[in-house]
Amino acid sequence: QVQLVESGGGLVQPGGSLRLSCAASRSIFSLHAVNWYRQVPGKQRELVATITSGGWLNYADSVKGRFTISRDNANNTVYLQMNNLKAEDTAVYFCNAVWSGYDYWGQGNQVTVSS
């Protein structure tokens, strides 16, 4: 079993920055992959960023150059650094981890970008 606890969401003005955290109950190296998704009501859930245990990274086209996914091995935490935020980034963000053939999810974290 894997528990994921998210933090770091909030309200920010356009052009601002936020950092989301996803703290895992297991070593992040035991997780095949950690993903960040986001979802807006009425819209399909979108995969935002991925990091694998081997350090491979991937980003959605909509966030390339603005968002960075990274890991803190000592704290079993994966981060999503979000810079130059836009109104269209407003969503509930979810941390997702793949472990032992199963998917695990954080509780969700609201990010609102508004002037």
Side-chain angles (χ1 to χ4, degrees):
Q1 298 296 123
V2 180
Q3 290 77 48
L4 304 174
V5 179
E6 301 179 34
S7 61
L11 175 65
V12 65
Q13 293 184 338
S17 298
L18 286 173
R19 188 177 73 167
L20 303 181
S21 298
C22 177
S25 62
R26 295 180 176 271
S27 168
I28 59 175
F29 292 112
S30 73
L31 307 176
H32 178 70
V34 177
N35 307 292
W36 286 99
Y37 288 82
R38 65 186 182 187
Q39 189 166 27
V40 177
K43 300 291 185 180
Q44 185 176 2
R45 183 175 295 183
E46 177 187 20
L47 177 61
V48 175
T50 297
I51 186 168
T52 70
S53 60
W56 181 81
L57 308 174
N58 194 49
Y59 299 93
D61 289 341
S62 58
V63 307
K64 285 180 179 176
R66 300 188 297 119
F67 290 12
T68 303
I69 189 170
S70 62
R71 62 193 181 200
D72 182 341
N73 303 328
N75 292 300
N76 293 336
T77 300
V78 174
Y79 301 99
L80 185 68
Q81 178 67 45
M82 304 183 293
N83 297 326
N84 192 24
L85 283 160
K86 304 175 180 180
E88 54 263 42
D89 296 317
T90 296
V92 177
Y93 285 71
F94 295 90
C95 179
N96 160 265
V98 180
W99 177 79
S100 192
Y102 295 89
D103 282 307
Y104 297 87
W105 295 88
Q107 78 278 12
N109 206 330
Q110 177 69 48
V111 172
T112 301
V113 184
S114 177
S115 59

